[in-house]
């Protein structure tokens, strides 16, 4: 557990969902106000892209987004290979056309990870005008609902060893943002979910909401590896001497190997021609981790 959630742990690639996914949520799934046209202004409002604002990027938000942190010919070759295979080159994988290959954005700025905590939480904590308190080493265990109105009114917490801790009473609203697994778990433990499932688990039903805990989706990874014939990968970073040099470069200049996630090229393609891109979407990125320097045959 860490402040910033997965944005403090992930690979820092900045990728938004496909526009047609958001449109489908509103059109087919009944999520009113979640079309891409509705959410795009909020993406732009949050973003502070180093290339400035345009119709799809934001330029004044708190979330710093940059590109091309550690140029390497393998990234360019990856993109060129995609173009030769018949895929389009897209200048912005979060822009007008996501389908194709190109360079990826990342939540990296000044050589450092720019997490949600860095963008939002830490500035608010430094601002005396912000009415914000942060409690760490607390686990939300239950949301209490008003028995008459079914409105969420408070949250119970426990300590890491399972002992009861503070209860927080809401005067306006409660926002559940505990991640893709813990959010539905918290709702289910609070009696919010499918009544049949809750009854089987011995949890008192407070609000029958069948969708909670259902339809979980995860992305699958398939790694393809090739030997590199040039010493241009991350392999030399495995040597202690180079690690010291790269570390000093980052400490002094905030640049170099340690200032990149090394996921700088990628693409979105369809699994087969004629398939709607939002139903068959594949994400590929250029990962380089091991080098094999092979002498030419004599």
């Amino acid at each position: 557990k860490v402040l910033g959630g997965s944005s403090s742990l992930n690979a820092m690639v900045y990728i938004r969902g496909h526009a047609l996914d958001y449109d489908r949520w509103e059109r087919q799934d009944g999520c009113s106000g979640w079309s891409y046209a509705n959410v795009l202004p909020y993406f732009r409002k949050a973003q502070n892209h180093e290339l400035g604002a345009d119709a799809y990027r934001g330029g004044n938000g708190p979330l710093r987004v940059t590109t091309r942190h550690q140029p390497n010919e393998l990234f360019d070759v990856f993109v060129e290979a995609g173009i030769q295979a018949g895929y389009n080159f897209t200048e912005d994988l979060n822009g007008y056309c996501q389908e194709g290959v190109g360079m990826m954005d990342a939540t990296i700025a000044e050589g450092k990870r720019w997490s949600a905590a860095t963008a939002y939480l830490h500035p608010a904590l430094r601002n005396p005008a912000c009415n914000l308190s942060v409690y760490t080493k607390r686990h939300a265990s239950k949301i209490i609902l008003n028995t008459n109105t079914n409105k969420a009114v408070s949250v119970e917490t426990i300590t890491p060893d399972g002992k009861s801790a503070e209860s927080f009473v809401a005067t306006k609203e409660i926002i559940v943002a505990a991640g893709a697994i813990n959010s539905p778990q918290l709702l289910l433990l609070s009696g919010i979910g499918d009544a049949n499932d809750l009854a089987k688990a011995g949890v008192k039903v407070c609000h029958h909401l069948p969708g909670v805990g259902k339809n979980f989706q995860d992305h699958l990874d398939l790694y393809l590896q090739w030997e590199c014939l040039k010493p241009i990968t991350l392999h030399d970073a495995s040597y202690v001497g180079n690690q010291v040099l790269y570390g000093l470069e980052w400490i002094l200049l905030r640049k170099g190997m340690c200032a990149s996630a090394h996921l700088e090229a990628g693409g979105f393609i369809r699994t087969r021609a004629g398939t709607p891109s939002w139903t068959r979407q594949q994400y590929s990125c250029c990962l380089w981790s091991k080098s094999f320097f092979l002498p030419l045959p004599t």
Side-chain angles (χ1 to χ4, degrees):
K1 297 177 185 293
V2 62
L3 294 179
S6 61
S7 70
S8 295
L9 302 169
N10 61 20
M12 296 174 281
V13 173
Y14 179 86
I15 288 289
R16 302 170 185 169
H18 197 286
L20 293 181
D21 282 329
Y22 295 102
D23 291 342
R24 176 172 54 86
W25 290 356
E26 181 175 63
R27 184 179 63 255
Q28 297 182 10
D29 301 335
C31 299
S32 178
W34 278 88
S35 71
Y36 188 67
N38 290 132
V39 301
L40 179 59
Y42 294 96
F43 280 129
R44 296 183 70 249
K45 183 179 181 179
Q47 189 181 45
N48 182 351
H49 200 290
E50 67 173 350
L51 299 180
D54 62 13
Y56 296 90
R57 289 195 299 259
N60 297 304
L63 185 64
R64 300 277 299 275
V65 177
T66 55
T67 187
R68 297 310 302 260
H69 311 92
Q70 180 66 24
N72 184 283
E73 63 180 282
L74 286 176
F75 299 135
D76 299 308
V77 168
F78 176 87
V79 173
E80 179 59 30
I83 296 173
Q84 291 181 16
Y87 301 110
N88 295 326
F89 171 75
T90 178
E91 293 186 357
D92 186 356
L93 290 170
N94 296 297
Y96 172 74
C97 181
Q98 190 177 64
E99 184 174 1
V101 293
M103 295 300 169
M104 295 189 293
D105 292 334
T107 51
I108 298 174
E110 301 172 11
K112 299 180 291 185
R113 176 189 296 270
W114 208 265
S115 68
T118 303
Y120 292 94
L121 191 59
H122 295 162
L125 289 172
R126 291 193 295 265
N127 186 352
C130 288
N131 183 22
L132 176 65
S133 298
V134 174
Y135 292 78
T136 58
K137 298 183 180 180
R138 296 292 184 272
H139 183 80
S141 58
K142 190 175 183 179
I143 300 171
I144 305 300
L145 304 185
N146 183 296
T147 55
N148 296 320
T149 64
N150 247 13
K151 182 179 180 180
V153 294
S154 65
V155 176
E156 294 181 354
T157 67
I158 58 176
T159 59
D161 58 2
K163 296 180 180 179
S164 296
E166 295 89 352
S167 292
F168 299 91
V169 178
T171 57
K172 290 189 177 181
E173 62 182 354
I174 296 172
I175 299 174
V176 178
I181 295 177
N182 286 119
S183 289
Q185 181 199 34
L186 177 60
L187 294 174
L188 292 169
L189 291 173
S190 306
I192 304 171
D194 188 290
N196 293 327
D197 294 340
L198 293 173
K200 293 177 182 177
V203 178
K204 179 183 176 182
V205 179
C206 295
H207 179 61
H208 176 57
L209 194 61
V212 177
K214 306 290 180 62
N215 304 314
F216 180 79
Q217 299 180 36
D218 197 3
H219 59 281
L220 302 178
D221 288 338
L222 176 63
Y223 288 88
L224 303 177
Q225 300 183 22
W226 287 268
E227 293 184 2
C228 182
L229 303 183
K230 296 181 179 181
I232 55 175
T233 72
L234 281 177
H235 183 63
D236 66 343
S238 63
Y239 297 107
V240 175
N242 289 338
Q243 292 176 4
V244 172
L245 293 176
Y246 294 145
L248 288 174
E249 182 182 24
W250 183 84
I251 292 172
L252 297 175
L253 304 174
R254 292 294 190 267
K255 295 180 179 180
M257 284 281 194
C258 298
S260 171
H262 305 286
L263 303 170
E264 308 228 352
F268 289 85
I269 61 177
R270 308 180 194 217
T271 54
R272 60 182 181 273
T275 301
S277 59
W278 57 267
T279 58
R280 291 290 186 271
Q281 185 169 297
Q282 178 179 342
Y283 171 70
S284 303
C285 60
C286 183
L287 295 171
W288 43 295
S289 59
K290 195 169 184 180
S291 174
F292 297 89
F293 183 71
L294 304 179
L296 295 175
T298 57

